[in-house]
Amino acid sequence: AQKVTQAQTEISVVEKEDVTLDCVYETRDTTYYLFWYKQPPSGELVFLIRRNSFDEQNEISGRYSWNFQKSTSSFNFTITASQVVDSAVYFCALSEAGNQFYFGTGTSLTVIP
Amino acid sequence: NAGVTQTPKFQVLKTGQSMTLQCAQDMNHEYMSWYRQDPGMGLRLIHYSVGAGITDQGEVPNGYNVSRSTTEDFPLRLLSAAPSQTSVYFCASRTYRARGYTFGSGTRLTVV
C-alpha cells in the first residue's frame, strides 16, 4: 500500500489563481515527519517544509501555506495567487522512525500566464 | 561549494556494462541515500547509510551496490546494467536532526 498518496497527477491553473495540492499519508508510528519538495523543470529537488507529527499548527510562508490534519492523515499545500514560476512537480514525503523517506508520486503543476 | 555533488550528470550505458555513480557531500552529514525517480513512480529508495561503514537496503535495491567508507562519499554501483535501470538517480544527505534532505542535482542514466 502506498504510504503517501498524491491523487492529483496534473493540475493546471491560470496565473493568480489559488491552488491546493493534496497529500494523504499512512503510518502507524506516533512520531513521524511530513515534507514537501519542489522539483522545477531544471530537475533539482528543493526542500519546502517539514512538519512533525506533534505540531498540527498550520504554517504560512509568503504565498505558500500548509494544512496538517492528523484526523484525516492529510498534509495539503496551498499556493495563493499562483505565478508561472510555481510551475513544477511537487512531492509530498513521509519519514517514520529511521532513515527511510517515502515519497508520493508527485503532482505536476502548470501555471498558465 | 557546499552541498551534494553527483557525477556524472548524464550517462549512457550498454546492457551488461557496469559503472559507478559518484556522490559526495561536504556538510559532514551522517545520513546519505540513493533514490531513483521514474515517471509516475515518485522517488524510490535504493540504498541508504546512517554513517561510515553502515549501509542498508531500501525499497528497490536489486542490481545496485553501495559502500560508505568515509562520511563524505556514498557511491552507487550498477553491477550489470539493464534497460529497467534507465532512470534519474538522486543522492541525498542530511544530519540526524536536519529539517530535510539536501539532494544532489541528479544523474540521468540511460541503458540501451
Side-chain angles (χ1 to χ4, degrees), chain B residues 53-108:
Chain B
I54 305 170
T55 63
D56 207 345
Q57 296 181 350
E59 182 184 356
V60 288
N62 292 340
Y64 307 95
N65 274 356
V66 292
S67 59
R68 185 96 180 270
S69 56
T70 66
T71 300
E72 294 78 20
D73 299 301
F74 191 44
L76 177 72
R77 297 181 186 85
L78 279 70
L79 309 172
S80 178
S84 61
Q85 293 178 305
T86 294
S87 187
V88 179
Y89 292 84
F90 286 97
C91 179
S93 74
R94 67 180 178 95
T95 63
Y96 177 74
R97 295 186 180 278
R99 287 173 57 82
Y101 269 112
T102 298
F103 282 85
S105 56
T107 295
R108 186 172 295 275

Side-chain angles (χ1 to χ4, degrees), chain A residues 13-88:
Chain A
V13 297
V14 176
E15 199 171 21
K16 297 184 183 177
E17 287 184 344
D18 299 347
V19 59
T20 295
L21 310 182
D22 298 332
C23 173
V24 174
Y25 63 93
E26 177 184 335
T27 181
R28 294 181 178 178
D29 286 7
T30 54
T31 301
Y32 54 90
Y33 298 88
L34 296 163
F35 301 79
W36 276 95
Y37 281 84
K38 175 181 179 179
Q39 187 176 42
S42 52
E44 72 272 24
L45 284 154
V46 179
F47 166 80
L48 295 178
I49 190 171
R50 178 184 92 159
R51 223 45 185 160
N52 74 57
S53 52
F54 299 108
D55 183 1
E56 286 193 72
Q57 269 194 316
N58 292 333
E59 183 157 338
I60 298 174
S61 176
R63 295 183 298 106
Y64 294 172
S65 62
W66 291 269
N67 181 273
F68 176 28
Q69 291 194 337
K70 289 178 75 171
S71 60
T72 55
S73 297
S74 64
F75 187 45
N76 297 337
F77 173 29
T78 297
I79 302 174
T80 303
S82 59
Q83 301 177 1
V84 173
V85 294
D86 296 327
S87 295

Side-chain angles (χ1 to χ4, degrees), chain B residues 33-55:
Chain B
S33 299
W34 276 102
Y35 290 87
R36 60 178 288 173
Q37 182 180 16
D38 303 292
M41 304 284 285
L43 282 86
R44 294 181 292 169
L45 181 66
I46 305 171
H47 286 284
Y48 66 97
S49 168
V50 300
I54 305 170
T55 63

